Every structure is written in structure tokens, then in C-alpha cells.
Amino acid sequence: MADHIKITSELTGVAVERDGDAVLLDARRLERPLAPYELVKTMRASILVLGPLVARRGAAQVSLPGGCAIGLRPVDQHLKGLAALGAEVDVEQGYITARAKRLKGTRHAMDLVTVTGTENLMMAATLAEGRTVLENAAREPEVADLADCLNAMGARVSGAGTDVITIDGVGELGGASHRIMPDRIETGTFLAAAAATRGAITLRDAVSITLMMFGLGGAAPQLETYTRVASALTTTPPGKPRTAMGGPLTAFVAMSTTDTEALPEFVT
């Protein structure tokens, strides 16, 4: 992950320095608003440079990311949102090209919930002129964590963590120090593994929301907490939750002797 961040940043002209567990980024000379296929194919989340580059440089060229291990995952919500913010968006020869002298604030409702789409548009809107309201936004903790980082840099973002996010555009962002939240899916995977094997595990710096999802107060998670786990980990309505925790939780359920008919069906 750190190596990918380093390569991505340096390709766009950002100076990157590693200091222990910290990564220092100096983006004062953002020279090349380009993310080529050779880079994007190694990590689909590279699409997240699209919004910030358009907002900062007025133009961006980013390769289409294609699918991933989960399957086809289109980026149409990213493109619709940028167009709503006033960007001219084209897709040609496998590349997304977006241009705008300055993005304009707007009220935009996403057709479906998307974490990276919400994050991309939220970042783009921080430098847009006026107020942007994103409706049907993703509510994941990572979205709120990104908003905290942006606000530390001088952005004006409110409502992150709910399905309506408001961003009041500013003229520029500055430097900041931010501690990224631990990976809740990684936390949940370790918890599910310990529970499925009737084992015990101690996790340091675990995400508190993940622990609460498992109903942990020191004891192993109980099966009746599964529906609550699934619902809390997804941004879609309970019943057929879409969550990266589906695999680990399925393994946990398979090891149980408890009736699982009440458990939701996972969509992966």
C-alpha cells in the first residue's frame, strides 16, 4: 500500500518521504495530472486521484480501473458526480479525461451508494465554488475519517458518516497531520477467524466500531449478533448486505451449529 501511494504520488509530481510508520507528502508541485493504466490496474482505488486532480489542476487523465476480485465495479457514479459539479468528462481509449476551470457547488443525489464515489466527489467539492450537498452518500467510517483529514487541511465538510454530506468550497487546502483509522475489515477478519476456530485473540489499536459490531465486551461474539454485524458493515438495507465481511462471516457461520435462517444473504 505504501509503495503504491509513493508511485502514484511521484507520478503526479508529489514529493514522498517515508518516516517510520508515517508518510510525508509535499504536493506543492503537482505537475502531472495523469494516472496511467499500468498504475491503476495494480490498485483499483487509484480512481480516487480523479476528483482531487480536477479540483486542484483543472484537468485530470485517469485510466479506467476495470474490475477487481469482487467483479465488475463501474465508476459511472464518479463521472456523473463530476459532471454535476461542472466538469467536462470524456472516456476515450480506456482513459477518463475531466476538465473544469473551477468546479461549481451543486446538490447531487447518487443513484446508488458508493464509498469511493462519495470520497472522490467529497474531495473534489472541497475546492469547488460554493456549497455542494451529496445525497445518498456512503456512511462508512472511512468516509468520516477522510472528512476529518480534509477538515484538518482547511476544508469545510459536515455530515460525513451520514447519507447527506455538505461541503462548502474553499480557495485552497494546506498541510496537516492525520492518523489514518485502522482497517476495520482486517479487524473483523481476525475476529471472525478467532470465533470460527473457538480461539482467542488480542487486537491492538482495533477499530472500536468493529468490536461493537461483534458485540465484544471481552467474550467471543455470539451468533445472534450476526445480523447486527452485517447491517452495520454495509450501506445497503439489511436483507442482502453488500460487505467485504461477507466471506469471513460466512466461514464463521459455517462453523456454527446454531440455526442461521435469520441471517442475511450476502451480496459480494
Side-chain angles (χ1 to χ4, degrees):
M1 177 70 78
D3 289 340
H4 185 87
I5 293 173
K6 187 175 189 297
I7 295 171
T8 305
S9 301
E10 289 179 342
L11 274 174
T12 57
V14 177
V16 183
E17 181 181 344
R18 186 73 182 264
D19 182 13
D21 292 334
V23 177
L24 309 178
L25 305 171
D26 186 343
R28 284 175 288 189
R29 297 181 61 184
L30 193 61
E31 299 169 346
R32 297 178 294 278
L34 170 67
Y37 174 72
E38 292 73 19
L39 174 68
V40 176
K41 71 177 182 179
T42 64
M43 180 175 285
R44 189 181 179 283
S46 299
I47 189 68
L48 285 172
V49 303
L50 180 63
L53 285 176
V54 176
R56 171 81 180 274
R57 289 296 308 273
Q61 188 176 33
V62 179
S63 170
L64 285 168
C68 67
I70 298 178
L72 182 63
R73 307 182 78 182
V75 294
D76 58 312
Q77 297 304 307
H78 302 240
L79 308 190
K80 287 182 180 180
L82 286 174
L85 287 166
E88 180 183 336
V89 182
D90 295 301
V91 180
E92 295 180 340
Q93 298 181 337
Y95 276 83
I96 303 166
T97 301
R99 299 181 180 88
K101 288 186 177 180
R102 187 179 183 188
L103 298 174
K104 306 289 185 181
T106 187
R107 178 178 288 271
H108 176 67
M110 284 173 276
D111 300 329
L112 52 85
V113 177
T114 160
V115 175
T116 53
T118 298
E119 292 171 334
N120 226 343
L121 298 181
M122 184 170 67
M123 288 188 286
T126 60
L127 294 178
E129 180 181 345
R131 170 170 289 187
T132 298
V133 179
L134 300 177
E135 299 176 347
N136 198 27
R139 297 172 291 169
E140 269 76 354
E142 291 80 9
V143 175
D145 189 54
L146 174 59
D148 289 342
C149 179
L150 291 171
N151 287 336
M153 297 171 68
R156 298 174 61 191
V157 181
S158 60
T162 74
D163 60 359
V164 179
I165 302 175
T166 301
I167 307 102
D168 290 305
V170 297
E172 63 179 8
L173 299 178
S177 178
H178 179 72
R179 182 179 178 85
I180 299 172
M181 66 174 286
D183 190 318
R184 65 191 169 90
I185 304 302
E186 186 176 80
T187 299
T189 300
F190 280 118
L191 291 174
T197 58
R198 305 295 190 269
I201 190 169
T202 300
L203 299 176
R204 296 179 180 175
D205 299 323
V207 184
S208 59
I209 188 171
T210 308
L211 299 176
M212 288 188 288
M213 289 172 192
F214 273 88
L216 284 181
Q222 301 299 309
L223 231 146
E224 55 265 25
T225 69
Y226 266 64
T227 301
R228 184 162 58 87
V229 172
S231 299
L233 283 172
T234 183
T235 52
T236 57
K240 280 194 175 183
R242 183 181 299 274
T243 166
M245 278 301 298
L249 289 178
T250 299
F252 182 7
V253 171
M255 298 297 293
S256 173
T257 57
T258 304
D259 179 17
T260 60
E261 288 185 1
L263 296 177
E265 177 183 350
F266 288 99
V267 179
T268 57

